[in-house]
Amino acid sequence: MTRMRIRWLIGLLSSALLGLVAFQYYWITEVNKVNNERFNQSVNEALNEVIQRLAIENDISFLQRGMNSGGRPGPRRNMPTDSVGALMSNQENLPQGEIPPSEEFISGAFQIVDETTGQVLFQFGFESIMQQNPGFNNRQFANPQARQVEVERQMNRRVEMMKESWFNHLLGSNNLFARVNPDILDTLLSEELTNRGLNIPYNYGILHQPTNEFKLLNAQNKSDSEEIKKSGLLVNLFPTDLNQKEFYLAIDFPGKKKYLMSQAIIPLSASGILLIIVIACFAYAIMVILRQKKLSEIKSDFVNNMTHEFKTPIATVSLATEALQDDDIKGNKAFVERYVQIIRDENKRLGLQVEKVLQIASLDKKDFKLKFEQADLHDIIEKALVNINILVEKRGGQITSQLSASNALLDADKVHLTNIIYNLLDNANKYSSEAPEIHIRTDNISTGIILKISDKGIGMSKESIEKIFDKFYRVSTGNVHDVKGFGLGLSYVKNIIDMHHGTINVKSEVGQGSTFKIYLPFNNG
């Protein structure tokens, strides 16, 4: 896949992901909006129900007071006639201007009934009141007609008094606390909110809108009272008064946001989890694409390097073979021996290169086993130095050693431990642009040996340090073939050290050189 196609793919996937995130945000916003509207509707219904129940309680209290006080009217006001007058008859036996109540009105019963439950809240009848009054029943009348006239006269007075009192009641008193009991209000609010499933703390108050002051408040501090004013959840406290009052019952819920979030926690959590999964899969897919592309490039470089590494010795062997076929050379024993040695060396070189590739393949398949035995690390280092010293000296460099470990014995595979030390020394030589200066040091700690190999070569960037133990990775020097190798050496080193239960890390600066630090435990049990 070309770089341009990968960019287009990442761009399209990113656009789709951003669209999905935007849609999820819109959906979450709409859910919160709907839940908020539903919450406000339930609160308003609860407040309206509280106001209705307060009005019924107020009416019942008024009628009970009227019955207990004998129907004494309050101050007179100009009253409009109403439908009570239509129920009155038998005017001829009454003084002028008095209208008698009808027999149905006298003998009937007056009731207040709760429309929702059908419960009779208040009930009385005029005739039952007269029957319970022995003073009236014992009075002497000239004839039954006179008794009836007196009854109707008294009833007419009472009706007029009730009409006036009821009218005053309908106008509504401005004395707030004569009409609203705070305990009853609090109980009704709690009941109605609980009936609608709104079991969360609340603050409320009765607000006088013209002055914007609270006449009743259950909040603890000023900030709570300000929040009540801003909540927008309020209703007219006395909506049925003929003279409208500017008292409003307002309420606020400090934990409203948390409550709404808890109501939507399941769909929001599910949406969030799915979105995280999608983002994680997207990131993983992009990472895999980029990794595969990079792996493809690394493998391509490996093939090129391997071709170059194999091509040189093969060409050398081919030239030496052709030279040996020359009749003039065949007779010269010294030339023959020389070319045979060249063929032998190049063949050995090819064998080592193939062996490296096979070793990495074996490590990948996990069928690679080490032969652990007691080994002296200092002896292994000395043997590795014998081989590498020749190469270093050819370039005018030197290797110094400081083998300070008092105990150099450990359980290790001698062959592979020799290989990893040789590889590190070989890298220090190859990646030194001038005469190599290499230093090797050993020290003891309580559980094992610390081995350090330092050089003053070209060094590495932080990006390279993170990748040097990856297969096929080779630090760039500006020319892919100026440093020979497959990029397998350090990967092999890391695997062998891991199999010895050790660790390896590196410190390096570009142009300053590198230091590899290896820890090897005494025992691998």
Side-chain angles (χ1 to χ4, degrees):
M1 185 178 290
T2 63
R3 187 182 298 272
M4 183 59 69
R5 288 186 178 180
I6 291 176
R7 288 179 179 176
W8 273 104
L9 179 61
I10 293 175
L12 290 174
L13 288 175
S14 300
S15 299
L17 184 60
L18 289 174
L20 181 60
V21 171
F23 177 78
Q24 289 293 322
Y25 176 78
Y26 171 78
W27 181 78
I28 291 171
T29 303
E30 287 299 309
V31 168
N32 287 334
K33 182 179 178 181
V34 170
N35 286 343
N36 185 63
E37 291 176 353
R38 189 180 300 164
F39 179 89
N40 291 345
Q41 182 179 359
S42 297
V43 172
N44 284 325
E45 290 176 357
L47 293 178
N48 286 323
E49 186 65 24
V50 168
I51 296 307
Q52 185 176 356
R53 291 178 63 178
L54 277 176
I56 293 174
E57 292 283 347
N58 202 13
D59 290 345
I60 293 172
S61 177
F62 164 75
L63 291 173
Q64 288 176 338
R65 288 196 306 270
M67 291 296 297
N68 293 334
S69 65
R72 289 189 294 273
R76 292 190 60 85
R77 304 188 188 190
N78 294 328
M79 297 181 296
T81 58
D82 58 18
S83 58
V84 176
L87 298 174
M88 300 180 181
S89 59
N90 204 8
Q91 301 183 37
E92 64 277 2
N93 296 317
L94 297 174
Q96 186 176 3
E98 292 191 5
I99 303 175
S102 66
E103 291 294 332
E104 294 177 355
F105 186 81
I106 296 173
S107 60
F110 181 76
Q111 295 180 339
I112 295 179
V113 181
D114 190 332
E115 295 181 356
T116 58
T117 63
Q119 179 184 1
V120 177
L121 303 176
F122 183 79
Q123 172 178 314
F124 73 91
F126 288 112
E127 189 158 341
S128 62
I129 293 173
M130 289 188 293
Q131 291 175 356
Q132 294 172 7
N133 189 342
F136 180 80
N137 290 331
N138 293 333
R139 289 176 60 184
Q140 300 295 323
F141 294 95
N143 52 57
Q145 186 176 7
R147 182 180 183 279
Q148 178 69 18
V149 169
E150 183 64 21
V151 168
E152 292 177 349
R153 185 188 305 277
Q154 294 295 330
M155 291 303 302
N156 186 64
R157 286 188 59 214
R158 293 296 177 90
V159 167
E160 291 295 325
M161 292 167 63
M162 288 181 61
K163 286 171 62 179
E164 184 174 357
S165 296
W166 188 258
F167 183 73
N168 289 336
H169 175 67
L170 292 179
L171 288 175
S173 171
N174 286 317
N175 187 348
L176 178 66
F177 292 100
R179 304 177 66 181
V180 177
N181 185 325
D183 293 334
I184 293 177
L185 175 60
D186 190 66
T187 301
L188 292 177
L189 271 174
S190 179
E191 288 179 359
E192 293 301 329
L193 292 173
T194 301
N195 290 341
R196 288 162 175 80
L198 304 178
N199 299 314
I200 57 175
Y202 58 88
N203 297 318
Y204 70 90
I206 296 178
L207 181 66
H208 187 235
Q209 274 202 339
T211 61
N212 199 33
E213 295 179 354
F214 283 106
K215 300 301 182 182
L216 174 67
L217 183 66
N218 81 328
Q220 299 297 323
N221 50 59
K222 185 176 180 181
S223 62
D224 289 338
S225 64
E226 293 299 320
E227 290 300 321
I228 295 174
K229 292 179 181 179
K230 296 176 184 177
S231 69
L233 298 171
L234 74 167
V235 292
N236 193 328
L237 189 61
F238 307 117
T240 58
D241 285 0
L242 294 180
N243 284 345
Q244 289 295 315
K245 310 296 187 299
E246 297 296 330
F247 293 106
Y248 288 84
L249 176 61
I251 191 169
D252 175 60
F253 298 86
K256 179 180 177 181
K257 290 183 179 180
K258 291 183 178 179
Y259 174 80
L260 293 177
M261 287 297 295
S262 67
Q263 295 295 304
I265 191 66
I266 294 178
L268 292 182
S269 298
S271 176
I273 291 172
L274 291 175
L275 192 58
I276 290 173
I277 292 174
V278 171
I279 293 174
C281 290
F282 169 77
Y284 179 75
I286 296 299
M287 184 177 67
V288 168
I289 291 172
L290 294 177
R291 183 183 296 171
Q292 290 296 323
K293 183 178 184 299
K294 188 166 188 179
L295 184 60
S296 176
E297 292 174 351
I298 290 173
K299 286 185 176 181
S300 178
D301 289 341
F302 168 73
V303 171
N304 292 334
N305 291 332
M306 184 176 65
T307 302
H308 179 77
E309 291 293 321
F310 285 172
K311 188 176 181 180
T312 301
I314 290 173
T316 303
V317 170
S318 177
L319 290 173
T321 303
E322 290 179 4
L324 288 174
Q325 291 176 347
D326 192 308
D327 293 334
D328 293 336
I329 293 178
K330 285 180 182 181
N332 191 328
K333 187 177 181 180
F335 277 108
V336 170
E337 187 64 30
R338 180 184 175 186
Y339 285 120
V340 169
Q341 186 62 42
I342 291 174
I343 293 172
R344 187 182 295 114
D345 291 342
E346 293 300 321
N347 184 60
K348 184 178 179 180
R349 180 181 168 189
L350 282 172
L352 289 173
Q353 300 288 13
V354 172
E355 184 65 24
K356 284 184 180 180
V357 177
L358 292 177
Q359 285 175 350
I360 293 297
S362 297
L363 288 171
D364 287 343
K365 292 179 181 178
K366 306 299 181 183
D367 60 358
F368 191 83
K369 294 183 179 179
L370 300 181
K371 182 181 178 181
F372 287 101
E373 56 185 325
Q374 193 172 59
D376 189 318
L377 181 60
H378 289 172
D379 289 343
I380 293 173
I381 292 173
E382 293 293 346
K383 290 178 181 179
L385 288 175
V386 170
N387 295 324
I388 199 68
N389 259 326
I390 299 173
L391 299 176
V392 173
E393 289 173 357
K394 282 183 178 180
R395 300 186 61 196
Q398 63 175 349
I399 301 177
T400 58
S401 60
Q402 187 179 355
L403 306 181
S404 303
S406 58
N407 181 10
L409 297 177
L410 47 78
D411 290 335
D413 185 302
K414 293 181 179 180
V415 174
H416 291 287
L417 194 55
T418 303
N419 288 342
I420 66 172
I421 294 173
Y422 182 86
N423 278 344
L424 291 173
L425 293 172
D426 186 45
N427 279 345
N429 176 51
K430 289 192 298 185
Y431 286 96
S432 294
S433 57
E434 299 178 356
E437 293 184 28
I438 304 170
H439 181 73
I440 185 166
R441 175 191 176 102
T442 61
D443 292 286
N444 273 131
I445 60 173
S446 60
T447 57
I449 304 174
I450 299 295
L451 169 64
K452 292 183 180 179
I453 298 177
S454 305
D455 65 68
K456 295 184 179 179
I458 63 174
M460 292 176 285
S461 64
K462 291 183 179 180
E463 182 183 357
S464 296
I465 291 174
E466 295 175 357
K467 300 175 183 178
I468 57 172
F469 297 114
D470 295 342
K471 283 188 303 182
F472 309 119
Y473 181 79
R474 301 175 72 240
V475 176
S476 176
T477 58
N479 182 349
V480 74
H481 296 309
D482 64 344
V483 176
K484 299 181 183 296
F486 294 152
L488 298 174
L490 289 179
S491 176
Y492 167 76
V493 169
K494 180 70 166 59
N495 277 279
I496 295 299
I497 291 175
D498 287 343
M499 295 176 74
H500 280 78
H501 305 290
T503 59
I504 181 171
N505 55 66
V506 60
K507 291 183 179 179
S508 183
E509 292 184 19
V510 176
Q512 300 297 318
S514 305
T515 297
F516 285 84
K517 180 180 178 181
I518 300 171
Y519 161 71
L520 293 170
F522 290 127
N523 300 308
N524 285 281

